[in-house]
C-alpha cells in the first residue's frame, strides 16, 4: 500500500467514526414548559427533523405538542406516536397540536410516517 | 391517552392580505393578541399568514377575522377544521405539479448530457474539449433547480443530526457534480485520474479527466420520476378517508331566534336546532326533536336498507335523509362527530405499531448513516485494492452507486401504505380496524367466541309465553312484570314492556328497583315485594318453583328464555321471551368454520336456551350461564389452551371479554361506536363483517409481508452489488445511473403493491347455506 492508500484508509476510518458519532451520539434534551393549570406544552419545529427532538416531560400531566411544519418536503408530512396510537398529518406551514397524557414513565420514540425522522419523548416519573 | 384533559384550544391559520411591511405585521399581531379569547398569535410577513391559538369557548374564527378587518387588513378565505383535508389535497396537488415540472426540465437537460457522455468517441464532434463545459452548463440547472429540494432537505436533516433519503441523494449527486466541476475547470488537479470506459468522457486517443455530469443529472431526473410516481400513488392511498369526508354536507339549515338560515357546516354548534328536508344530507350528529323519516346510513354502517327514525332517535352527520323531514338538536359537531371519529380512527391506525414491522422500524432509524459508512468503506477498499491507474475512478463511481441505490423509502413505506389502504378499505365496508396489531393478529385467530344476544341473535327478544301460577291472571302477571321492567335496560325487559303496551295495560311505577347482575331484578310494586329472574335467584331466595320446572325446561328446550316471577315471596308464574337469530348468522358461522376457525358461543343465558340457539346457528361448543364478570375468564381459559382467541360482542357488557381477547370485535349499529375496548368495530350488526375483517386482515398482512420482503431483499442485494462485491468474480459493476433507476422503482413498486389492496372485496358468501 502506498502512502496515498494509507491516507485514504485513515481518512475513511475517521470519516466513518465521525458519521457514527454525529448521527448516533448523545443529543441534548429539552424540558417541556408548564403552561396553564396542569398543562405542559412544547413547540416543535419540523424541518428535516424535529427541533427539539429529545423532549423531557412529566408523567401524568396532560401534554400538548405543537408541531409547526416549516417545509413541504414530503418526508415529514406525518408524525406518529406509535406507543400512544396517534398519527397525524402535518400540513405544511401550519401548526398542528397533538394532545396526550403521558401515563407511563419511560422513553417513547416519535417518528415520521416512514420512521426516518425521529424524536424521543422522555417521560420522567412523577 | 386522554384528549379531554386539556382546555379546548383551537389553532387557526389565517391568510392575511394588505400587509406591506413589518409594522403591518406587528399591527395585525397586536390586534389579534388583544382580541378576547386569544392565547397566542403570530404573524409571518413572508408567508402573509397569521397563526392564532384561541380558546374555543370564548371566541371563533369569525370574531378573529373581524379583529383583523378592524385593524385595516383583509383575510383571504375562511379556513376551518374541516378544510384541512382540502388544504392537504391542494398542497399535495401543487407538490405533484412542481415535481412533474422539475422532472420534465431535468429530462430535457440531461438527455443531451447523457448522449454526449455515452458516445464514447464514436461522434467526432463530441470529443472536443468544450464538451465538458457544455455538460456543466446543462447540468447546473438540473442540480440547483430540479434537485434543489434534495439539498435543502438534506441540509435541514443534517443540522438535526439526522439523515434521510435526501442525504443519500444529495451526497451522491453532489459529490459527482462538485468533482466534475473541479475536473472541468482545473483538469490539472486530477492528472492521475483516467477515464473508465462507459463511466465518463473519453477522447479519441487523448485521455481527458473524466467527468460525471451525466450521472449527476440523470440520477436527479430518475429520482424525480420516482417521486412523481410515488406522489401520485400515495395520494391514492388516502382516498378512502377523503371519500368519507367528501360525504359531509357543506351547509346546514338552522333555526336561531326563530329564524331559519343556511349556515356553513363549521358554524353549527351543539344545541342548534337543524332542519332537514327529504333528500338532504344530515349535516351534523344530533337527536330528532320533531318529525320522522327514513335515513340511509350506508356510508356509516354499510347497511343499505334505510333506518326508520323518529323523535328521540339519533341521527348522524353525512348520512342521507330519504323521505320525511324533521328537526333535530345538534349534539356532536366538528371533530366530535361520528364521521370525524371514524376518520381519526382510520388515520391513527396507520400510526400504530404492527409487530411484523418492528425490524423494519429499527432498520429505518439507522439505515442512512450505515449506508454512508458503507459508501465510505467502498471508496476506501476500491482505492486501496484497485489498479493505481483507475483506482480513484472506480472507488468514486462505486461509492456514488452505493449512495444512490440504497432506498430507505421502500422500507419506510412498506407497512404504513398497506395498513392505510387496508384500514381505509375496511372503513368503506363498515369495518373499523384500530391498528396494525389488530390487523396482524386477526388473520391468525383459531377460536372465535360469539356473544349470543345481539351478536348471533337480533338482540330484540319478543315475549312468547305467559304461564301464571297461584291464582294470578295472565294480564295481571304481565302488568306487574312490565311495571317492574320499565326501569331495566335489559333487552328482555323491553320485550315485556312492549308486549304490555301492545295490550293496552296501564303500568305503574316500581320503587326500590335493583338489578342483580346475571340473576334478575327485585323491586317493590304497589307495596308488594317483586322478584323476577332465573332458577338460581329463586333457589337463593328460597322460593318453591318445583311445580313449574317441567314447563320451564320445555320452554328452554325450544330456545326461549323462561323467567320466574315471585310476589311477596310466593311463586307467581313464568314469563318467557325468545330472541330469534339473525338471518345471516348461520351463514357467517359456517363460513368461519370452513376457514378452519372454531366457533364458540358465550352467553349468560341458561344452557338449554343457549343450546337451542347454538343448534340453529350451527355452533357445537357452548359456554352458557356465564356471568358478565366471568366472560373474560372464559376467554382467558381458551387462551390458556394455547389458542389465539377473538371475541365478538356488542361492546358494552362484553367490554372486559373484548379487552381480554387477542382481538376484540365490537358489533355496533352505528349508534354506539364502542371503540375503546375493541380492536375492530363492525358498524353494521352483521356477523359477516367478522369474515370481511379476517379476510381484509389476511390480505393486508400478506401485502405488508410482500412489501417488507421486497424492500429488504432490494437493499440487501442492491447495496453489495453497487459496492462492487461481485466484480472480482464476474466483473459486474453497477453504473450509478442504473442504481438510481432501481432505487426509484423500488419505492414505487411498494406503494403500487399496497394499492392493489383497493381491489379487495369482502366475500359475498362462501357457502350455499341460507336460512
Amino acid at each position: 500500500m502506498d502512502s496515498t492508500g494509507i491516507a485514504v484508509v485513515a481518512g475513511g476510518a475517521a470519516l466513518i467514526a465521525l458519521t457514527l458519532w454525529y448521527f448516533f451520539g448523545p443529543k441534548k434534551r429539552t424540558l417541556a414548559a408548564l403552561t396553564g393549570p396542569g398543562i405542559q406544552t412544547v413547540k416543535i419545529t419540523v424541518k428535516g427533523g424535529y427541533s427539539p427532538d429529545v423532549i423531557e416531560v412529566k408523567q401524568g400531566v396532560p401534554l400538548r405538542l405543537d408541531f409547526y411544519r416549516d417545509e413541504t418536503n414530503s418526508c415529514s408530512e406525518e408524525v406518529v406516536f406509535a406507543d400512544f396510537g396517534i398519527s397525524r398529518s402535518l400540513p405544511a406551514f401550519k401548526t398542528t397540536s397533538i394532545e396526550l397524557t403521558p401515563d407511563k414513565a419511560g422513553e417513547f420514540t416519535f417518528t415520521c410516517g416512514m420512521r426516518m425522522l425521529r424524536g424521543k419523548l422522555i417521560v420522567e416519573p412523577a | 391517552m386522554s384528549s379531554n384533559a386539556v382546555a379546548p384550544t383551537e389553532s387557526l391559520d389565517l391568510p392575511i392580505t394588505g400587509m406591506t411591511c413589518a409594522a403591518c405585521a406587528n399591527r395585525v399581531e397586536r390586534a389579534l393578541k388583544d382580541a378576547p379569547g386569544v392565547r397566542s398569535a403570530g404573524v409571518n410577513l413572508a408567508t402573509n399568514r397569521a397563526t392564532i391559538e384561541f380558546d374555543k369557548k370564548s371566541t371563533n374564527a369569525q370574531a378573529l377575522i373581524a379583529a383583523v378587518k378592524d385593524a385595516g387588513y383583509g383575510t383571504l378565505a375562511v379556513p376551518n377544521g374541516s378544510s384541512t383535508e382540502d388544504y392537504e389535497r391542494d398542497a399535495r396537488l401543487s407538490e405533484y405539479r412542481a415535481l412533474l415540472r422539475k422532472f420534465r426540465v431535468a429530462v430535457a437537460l440531461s438527455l443531451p448530457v447523457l448522449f454526449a457522455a455515452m458516445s464514447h468517441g464514436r461522434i467526432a464532434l463530441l470529443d472536443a474539449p468544450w464538451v465538458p463545459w457544455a455538460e456543466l452548463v446543462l447540468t447546473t440547472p438540473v442540480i440547483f433547480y430540479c434537485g434543489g429540494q434534495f439539498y435543502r432537505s438534506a441540509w435541514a436533516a443534517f443540522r438535526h443530526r439526522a439523515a434521510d433519503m435526501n442525504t443519500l441523494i444529495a451526497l451522491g449527486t453532489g459529490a459527482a457534480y462538485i468533482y466534475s466541476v473541479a475536473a472541468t475547470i482545473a483538469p490539472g488537479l486530477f492528472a492521475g485520474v483516467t477515464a473508465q470506459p462507459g463511466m465518463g468522457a473519453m477522447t479519441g486517443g487523448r485521455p481527458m479527466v473524466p467527468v460525471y455530469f451525466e450521472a449527476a443529472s440523470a440520477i436527479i431526473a430518475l429520482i424525480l420520476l420516482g417521486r412523481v410516481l410515488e406522489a401520485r400513488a400515495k395520494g391514492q392511498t388516502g382516498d378512502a378517508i377523503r371519500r368519507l369526508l367528501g360525504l359531509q354536507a357543506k351547509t346546514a339549515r338552522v333555526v336561531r331566534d326563530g329564524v331559519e338560515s343556511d349556515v356553513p357546516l363549521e358554524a353549527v354548534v351543539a344545541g342548534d336546532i337543524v332542519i332537514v328536508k327529504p333528500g338532504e344530507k344530515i349535516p351534523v350528529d344530533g337527536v330528532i326533536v320533531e318529525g320522522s323519516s327514513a335515513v340511509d346510513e350506508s356510508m356509516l354502517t354499510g347497511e343499505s336498507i334505510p333506518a326508520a327514525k323518529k323523535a328521540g332517535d339519533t341521527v348522524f352527520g353525512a348520512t342521507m335523509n330519504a323521505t320525511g323531514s324533521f328537526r333535530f338538536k345538534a349534539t356532536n359537531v366538528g371533530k366530535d362527530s361520528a364521521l370525524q371519529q371514524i376518520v381519526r380512527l382510520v388515520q391513527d391506525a396507520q400510526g400504530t405499531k404492527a409487530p411484523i414491522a418492528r425490524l423494519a422500524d429499527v432498520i429505518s432509524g439507522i439505515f442512512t448513516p450505515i449506508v454512508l459508512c458503507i459508501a465510505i468503506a467502498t471508496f476506501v477498499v476500491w482505492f486501496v485494492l484497485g489498479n493505481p491507474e483507475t483506482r480513484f475512478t472506480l472507488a468514486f463511481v462505486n461509492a456514488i452507486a452505493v449512495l444512490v441505490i440504497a432506498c430507505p423509502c421502500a422500507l419506510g413505506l412498506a407497512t404504513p401504505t398497506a395498513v392505510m389502504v387496508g384500514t381505509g378499505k375496511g372503513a368503506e365496508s363498515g369495518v373499523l380496524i384500530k391498528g396494525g396489531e389488530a390487523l396482524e393478529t386477526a388473520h391468525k385467530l383459531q377460536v372465535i367466541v360469539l356473544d349470543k344476544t345481539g351478536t348471533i341473535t337480533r338482540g330484540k327478544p319478543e315475549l312468547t309465553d305467559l304461564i301464571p301460577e297461584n291464582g294470578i291472571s295472565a294480564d295481571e302477571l304481565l302488568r306487574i312484570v312490565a311495571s317492574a321492567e320499565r326501569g331495566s335496560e335489559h333487552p328482555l325487559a323491553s320485550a315485556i314492556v312492549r308486549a304490555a303496551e301492545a295490550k293496552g295495560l296501564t303500568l305503574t311505577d316500581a320503587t326500590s328497583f335493583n338489578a342483580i347482575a346475571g340473576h334478575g331484578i327485585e323491586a317493590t310494586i304497589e307495596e308488594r315485594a317483586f322478584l323476577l329472574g332465573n332458577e338460581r335467584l329463586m333457589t337463593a331466595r328460597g322460593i318453591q318453583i318445583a311445580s313449574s320446572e317441567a314447563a320451564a325446561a320445555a320452554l328452554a328446550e325450544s330456545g326461549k328464555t323462561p323467567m320466574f316471577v315471585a310476589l311477596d315471596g310466593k311463586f307467581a308464574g313464568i314469563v318467557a321471551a325468545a330472541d330469534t337469530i339473525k338471518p345471516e348468522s348461520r351463514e357467517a358461522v359456517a363460513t368461519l368454520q370452513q376457514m378452519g376457525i372454531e366457533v364458540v358461543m358465550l352467553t349468560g343465558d341458561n344452557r338449554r336456551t343457549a343450546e337451542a340457539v347454538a343448534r340453529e346457528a350451527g355452533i357445537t361448543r357452548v359456554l352458557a350461564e356465564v356471568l358478565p364478570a366471568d366472560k373474560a375468564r372464559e376467554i382467558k381459559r381458551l387462551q390458556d389452551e394455547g389458542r389465539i382467541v377473538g371475541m365478538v360482542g356488542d361492546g358494552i357488557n362484553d367490554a372486559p371479554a373484548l379487552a381480554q381477547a387477542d382481538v376484540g370485535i365490537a358489533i355496533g349499529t352505528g349508534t354506539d361506536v364502542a371503540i375503546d375496548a375493541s380492536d375492530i368495530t363492525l358498524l353494521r350488526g352483521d356477523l359477516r363483517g367478522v369474515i370481511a375483517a379476517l379476510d381484509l386482515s389476511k390480505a393486508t398482512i400478506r401485502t405488508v409481508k410482500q412489501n417488507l420482503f421486497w424492500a429488504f431483499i432490494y437493499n440487501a442485494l442492491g447495496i453489495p452489488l453497487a459496492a462492487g462485491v461481485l466484480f472480482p468474480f464476474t466483473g459486474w459493476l453497477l453504473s450509478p445511473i442504473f442504481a438510481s433507476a432501481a432505487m426509484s422503482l423500488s419505492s414505487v413498486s411498494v406503494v403500487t403493491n399496497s394499492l392493489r389492496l383497493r381491489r379487495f372485496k369482502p366475500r359475498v358468501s362462501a357457502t350455499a347455506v341460507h336460512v
Side-chain angles (χ1 to χ4, degrees):
Chain A
M1 205 190 295
D2 58 7
S3 57
T4 324
I6 293 167
V8 165
V9 171
L15 212 51
I16 287 176
L18 189 69
T19 304
L20 294 175
W21 170 79
Y22 189 77
F23 292 113
F24 300 131
K27 295 180 181 183
K28 90 170 190 268
R29 293 178 173 202
T30 301
L31 201 68
L34 280 174
T35 53
I39 304 169
Q40 39 187 351
T41 42
V42 182
K43 286 193 194 304
I44 299 163
T45 304
V46 185
K47 191 175 186 182
Y50 305 103
S51 43
D53 58 359
V54 182
I55 297 156
E56 204 179 312
V57 300
K58 286 194 183 65
Q59 185 186 355
V61 181
L63 170 68
R64 197 176 78 225
L65 299 157
D66 294 329
F67 284 88
Y68 177 73
R69 179 160 163 244
D70 196 18
E71 63 178 351
T72 52
N73 174 18
S74 65
C75 285
S76 62
E77 67 191 5
E78 208 184 340
V79 67
V80 175
F81 287 77
D83 299 291
F84 297 88
I86 296 174
S87 152
R88 289 281 178 284
S89 48
L90 306 176
F93 308 116
K94 280 186 139 193
T95 299
T96 309
S97 294
I98 292 183
E99 290 168 359
L100 55 94
T101 303
D103 292 326
K104 266 187 279 181
E107 292 192 2
F108 305 97
T109 307
F110 58 95
T111 65
C112 69
M114 288 161 60
R115 321 290 201 256
M116 290 280 129
L117 312 177
R118 275 155 194 262
K120 207 189 284 172
L121 195 66
I122 300 172
V123 182
E124 293 293 340
Chain B
M1 185 191 86
S2 156
S3 51
N4 301 329
V6 180
T9 311
E10 196 88 338
S11 178
L12 178 72
D13 195 53
L14 207 56
I16 309 283
T17 56
M19 294 192 298
T20 52
C21 59
C24 298
N26 279 336
R27 221 165 299 150
V28 175
E29 195 170 301
R30 216 170 30 241
L32 284 169
K33 277 182 176 158
D34 291 346
V38 172
R39 287 167 61 154
S40 72
V43 176
N44 185 334
L45 183 64
T47 56
N48 279 323
R49 279 177 176 276
T51 308
I52 312 144
E53 276 170 32
F54 61 94
D55 185 353
K56 207 157 88 178
K57 283 190 183 140
S58 45
T59 188
N60 57 34
Q62 269 65 31
L64 297 173
I65 290 166
V68 173
K69 287 201 173 129
D70 280 349
Y73 299 89
T75 58
L76 268 185
V78 185
N80 56 67
S82 65
S83 75
T84 308
E85 284 290 319
D86 296 339
Y87 178 90
E88 275 173 33
R89 195 191 49 224
D90 292 349
R92 222 179 258 278
L93 201 66
S94 69
E95 194 199 334
Y96 174 72
R97 290 205 183 109
L99 279 171
L100 198 62
R101 193 169 55 238
K102 286 176 181 169
F103 167 65
R104 287 183 175 144
V105 172
V107 168
L109 295 176
S110 14
L111 278 178
V113 179
L114 205 56
F115 182 72
M118 294 297 172
S119 71
H120 303 320
R122 279 188 283 272
I123 301 167
L125 184 68
L126 295 176
D127 285 343
W130 57 266
V131 169
W133 287 95
E135 291 182 4
L136 168 64
V137 169
L138 290 170
T139 303
T140 303
V142 175
I143 298 289
F144 288 98
Y145 168 68
C146 307
Q149 63 186 88
F150 303 132
Y151 300 102
R152 278 192 299 274
S153 301
W155 175 243
F158 182 79
R159 286 197 347 213
H160 287 99
R161 299 177 67 168
D164 59 12
M165 191 67 231
N166 297 302
T167 313
L168 299 174
I169 299 167
L171 277 176
T173 58
Y177 177 75
I178 290 168
Y179 160 79
S180 302
V181 170
T184 304
I185 295 171
L189 287 176
F190 302 91
V193 178
T194 35
Q196 173 71 14
M199 289 297 171
M202 189 150 165
T203 55
R206 183 171 57 89
M208 231 163 66
V209 177
V211 290
Y212 302 110
F213 287 119
E214 82 287 359
S217 60
I219 290 169
I220 287 187
L222 284 166
I223 287 167
L224 281 169
L225 172 66
R227 287 282 164 97
V228 166
L229 296 176
E230 194 183 311
R232 198 166 66 183
K234 258 166 77 185
Q236 292 168 348
T237 58
D239 270 358
I241 293 179
R242 270 190 293 279
R243 254 200 303 276
L244 278 178
L245 284 172
L247 295 169
Q248 287 184 120
K250 300 275 177 254
T251 60
R253 190 174 302 117
V254 300
V255 188
R256 284 177 186 162
D257 304 324
V259 185
E260 265 185 47
S261 60
D262 282 341
V263 300
L265 185 65
E266 54 276 9
V268 180
V269 295
D272 269 342
I273 297 295
V274 183
I275 300 177
V276 183
K277 300 246 164 84
E280 282 184 349
K281 247 179 212 168
I282 297 171
V284 297
D285 297 1
V287 178
I288 297 185
V289 290
E290 192 188 323
S292 63
S293 184
V295 175
D296 176 1
E297 295 185 333
S298 57
M299 51 68 58
L300 212 57
T301 62
E303 172 64 62
S304 52
I305 302 164
K309 301 276 178 175
K310 56 182 192 308
D313 286 346
T314 311
V315 290
F316 298 97
T319 57
M320 184 65 93
N321 178 30
T323 47
S325 49
F326 57 88
R327 288 168 178 238
F328 73 95
K329 190 173 177 183
T331 51
N332 295 323
V333 299
K335 286 173 185 159
D336 303 325
S337 69
L339 179 71
Q340 290 288 352
Q341 281 181 35
I342 292 173
V343 168
R344 179 67 49 95
L345 193 76
V346 173
Q347 281 176 340
D348 278 345
Q350 305 161 52
T352 55
K353 280 183 173 164
I356 192 173
R358 210 171 281 147
L359 183 62
D361 281 359
V362 172
I363 292 176
S364 298
I366 58 167
F367 188 88
T368 314
I370 297 296
V371 170
L372 293 179
C373 294
I374 294 175
I376 297 167
T378 301
F379 184 91
V380 170
V381 171
W382 275 97
F383 195 91
V384 171
L385 300 181
N387 172 347
E389 293 281 296
T390 56
R391 63 183 185 180
F392 176 79
T393 307
L394 286 177
F396 187 65
V397 169
N398 290 331
I400 289 176
V402 168
L403 288 175
V404 296
I405 202 167
C407 187
C409 282
L411 273 177
L413 288 168
T415 313
T417 54
V419 171
M420 185 165 185
V421 178
T423 49
K425 194 74 209 173
E428 274 179 6
S429 35
V431 177
L432 297 183
I433 300 167
K434 222 172 174 183
E437 193 156 358
L439 208 50
E440 195 174 330
T441 320
H443 79 285
K444 293 187 202 151
L445 290 179
Q446 295 164 318
V447 181
I448 285 193
V449 179
L450 303 174
D451 170 52
K452 182 177 77 77
T453 312
T455 303
I456 298 174
T457 64
R458 291 180 196 275
K460 270 196 182 160
E462 300 295 326
L463 179 74
T464 54
D465 299 83
L466 276 169
I467 309 171
E469 290 279 341
N470 290 332
I472 192 168
S473 79
D475 276 2
E476 179 65 2
L477 178 67
L478 179 59
R479 188 184 68 82
I480 291 174
V481 175
S483 297
E485 288 280 41
R486 269 209 296 190
S488 167
E489 281 163 9
H490 198 277
L492 288 175
S494 55
I496 292 164
V497 175
R498 270 201 312 276
E501 281 171 348
K503 280 196 169 183
L505 299 174
T506 316
L507 305 185
T508 55
D509 285 327
T511 52
S512 70
F513 178 88
N514 180 27
I516 309 155
H519 290 89
I521 58 167
E522 61 182 334
T524 309
I525 295 167
E526 292 158 359
E527 283 158 25
R528 298 174 78 182
F530 171 85
L531 201 58
L532 172 82
N534 55 20
E535 208 175 321
R536 255 180 300 169
L537 180 66
M538 295 297 143
T539 316
R541 299 295 173 94
I543 289 156
Q544 287 301 319
I545 52 167
S547 59
S548 291
E549 263 174 0
L555 288 169
E557 205 65 55
S558 54
K560 295 168 182 171
T561 304
M563 289 170 289
F564 299 89
V565 185
L567 277 171
D568 291 331
K570 250 176 73 186
F571 182 48
I574 298 175
V575 290
D579 186 9
T580 49
I581 82 165
K582 293 178 192 168
E584 65 280 353
S585 291
R586 192 187 169 99
E587 177 194 329
V589 169
T591 310
L592 286 170
Q593 286 165 341
Q594 269 186 1
M595 290 163 80
I597 296 168
E598 189 188 353
V599 182
V600 177
M601 189 171 93
L602 181 65
T603 177
D605 234 336
N606 73 67
R607 174 153 296 278
R608 277 179 298 228
T609 310
E611 273 170 357
V613 172
R615 256 198 312 279
E616 209 182 331
I619 299 171
T620 45
R621 187 163 175 187
V622 180
L623 303 171
E625 296 170 30
V626 181
L627 297 174
D630 293 336
K631 283 189 175 178
R633 201 174 307 154
E634 290 295 333
I635 302 284
K636 180 86 177 50
R637 196 169 300 163
L638 286 166
Q639 286 169 328
D640 289 343
E641 290 173 21
R643 311 217 276 170
I644 304 171
V645 182
M647 163 82 197
V648 188
D650 55 15
I652 303 150
N653 62 348
D654 298 322
L658 289 173
Q660 172 66 43
D662 295 292
V663 177
I665 303 175
I667 284 202
T669 45
T671 52
D672 181 64
V673 191
I675 288 166
D676 272 353
S678 65
D679 305 303
I680 297 175
T681 303
L682 306 178
L683 291 177
R684 182 159 41 156
D686 180 339
L687 267 184
R688 284 174 301 189
V690 176
I691 295 154
L694 298 192
D695 283 346
L696 190 62
S697 141
K698 201 170 283 176
T700 308
I701 292 302
R702 190 172 52 227
T703 306
V704 169
K705 280 183 182 158
Q706 289 164 349
N707 286 350
L708 286 174
F709 175 78
W710 169 242
F712 273 120
I713 282 294
Y714 167 79
N715 282 297
L717 296 182
I719 293 173
L721 184 66
V725 168
L726 291 180
F727 183 76
F729 314 106
T730 61
W732 288 356
L733 277 180
L734 198 64
S735 143
I737 296 175
F738 286 112
S740 65
M743 197 283 284
S744 293
L745 288 178
S746 74
S747 52
V748 171
S749 67
V750 161
V751 179
T752 311
N753 191 38
S754 295
L755 283 177
R756 288 193 312 130
L757 273 175
R758 291 199 301 175
R759 293 205 299 261
F760 173 86
K761 278 204 175 67
R763 70 173 96 185
V764 182
S765 167
T767 65
V769 182
H770 287 282
V771 181

